[in-house]
Amino acid sequence: MSYQICKRCVMDNSSDPTIKFDENGYCNYCTTELNRKDNVYFPNEEGKQKWESILKKIKDDGKGKPYDCLMGISGGLDSSYLAYLGYKWGLRILAVHIDDGYDTEISKSNIKKLAEATHIELKIETPDAEQFNGLTAAYIRANVPNLAIPQDNVLFACLYKYARKYKINYFLSGGNFALECVLQHGNSYTAYDVVNIKDIHKHFGTKPINKLPLLSNYRKFWDMKVLHIQSLRPLNYIDYNREKSIKRIK
């Protein structure tokens, strides 16, 4: 197979063999995203009106509860800027950060400063280091592409734990169309397939994982049904720009 890179984005057939190109040399990934852009990304007045309507519902549903919504904070741009916006919107946010042992000191400091400046209650979850590192090592030995699955699963297991505890109906995600719409489909997999996680651990792990909180697709489905949890992407309702966002966070 000869090497080919999309003429419009950076996707190529060496990193993802499932990619397809049209007669113009454009790949199926960016073509698909451009076709759905107007249905998911609203960096205009329409987006402002849509989000104001959603925001009112979040606040109304939060009355009588200690929090309006949940967030995961990694310390990266998307979650940090979303925390800033949540503060500006007057939301009572419960934020969860997973300290998996690989945080730098400056990232720890930034997360603490962010939570203090935005008056967000921050919960820091620290999974058992030996077991978490052992599961991550199993993923490396298995040679699977998505090494973030252990951390993603533990994060959402903790998020859903707090959603059940405080009866929170809304999760605000930093996922967004503006900066991450073109993603590989062939090299990704759901983080909630606990059967898959345990199978990888069984074949390639050396440590037990019984102390790690794990969230299955089944549990996630029922929590969403029973608790009516909605996952929202607020950054899709604004003109989200990387450089401007960094300046505001500074």
Side-chain angles (χ1 to χ4, degrees), residues 41 76-78 81 176 178-180 235 238-250:
Y41 184 43
L77 173 62
D78 297 339
Y81 192 62
N176 63 89
L179 302 186
E180 57 184 24
L235 298 180
I238 67 169
D239 182 10
Y240 186 41
N241 177 280
R242 182 178 183 274
E243 286 70 27
K244 291 180 181 178
S245 301
I246 291 175
K247 287 181 181 178
R248 287 181 181 175
I249 291 175
K250 284 183 179 181

Side-chain angles (χ1 to χ4, degrees), residues 71-75 95-100 103 107-108 111 122-127 151 155 159:
M71 269 190 61
I73 290 188
S74 66
V96 179
H97 172 69
I98 302 298
D99 183 356
D100 58 7
D103 286 354
S107 70
K108 291 179 181 178
I111 291 170
L122 177 65
K123 301 285 188 181
I124 298 179
E125 295 281 343
T126 306
Q151 187 192 52
L155 169 63
L159 285 168

Side-chain angles (χ1 to χ4, degrees), residues 202-234:
K202 177 181 177 181
H203 287 87
F204 300 97
T206 60
K207 305 290 183 182
I209 56 173
N210 59 303
K211 295 180 183 178
L212 297 180
L214 297 176
L215 179 69
S216 68
N217 273 313
Y218 180 80
R219 182 59 191 256
K220 181 173 180 282
F221 171 80
W222 279 109
D223 280 350
M224 290 180 69
K225 286 292 183 182
V226 173
L227 300 174
H228 307 291
I229 298 175
Q230 296 185 46
S231 181
L232 304 173
R233 294 192 166 198

Side-chain angles (χ1 to χ4, degrees), residues 2-15:
S2 60
Y3 175 76
Q4 187 172 359
I5 185 171
C6 179
K7 290 184 177 180
R8 185 165 50 198
C9 73
V10 300
M11 305 299 284
D12 64 24
N13 58 0
S14 67
S15 58

Side-chain angles (χ1 to χ4, degrees), residues 38-44 46-48 50 236-239:
D38 293 339
N39 295 319
V40 297
Y41 184 43
F42 307 96
N44 45 36
E46 180 185 5
K48 181 180 178 182
K50 284 178 179 290
N236 283 347
Y237 296 93
I238 67 169
D239 182 10

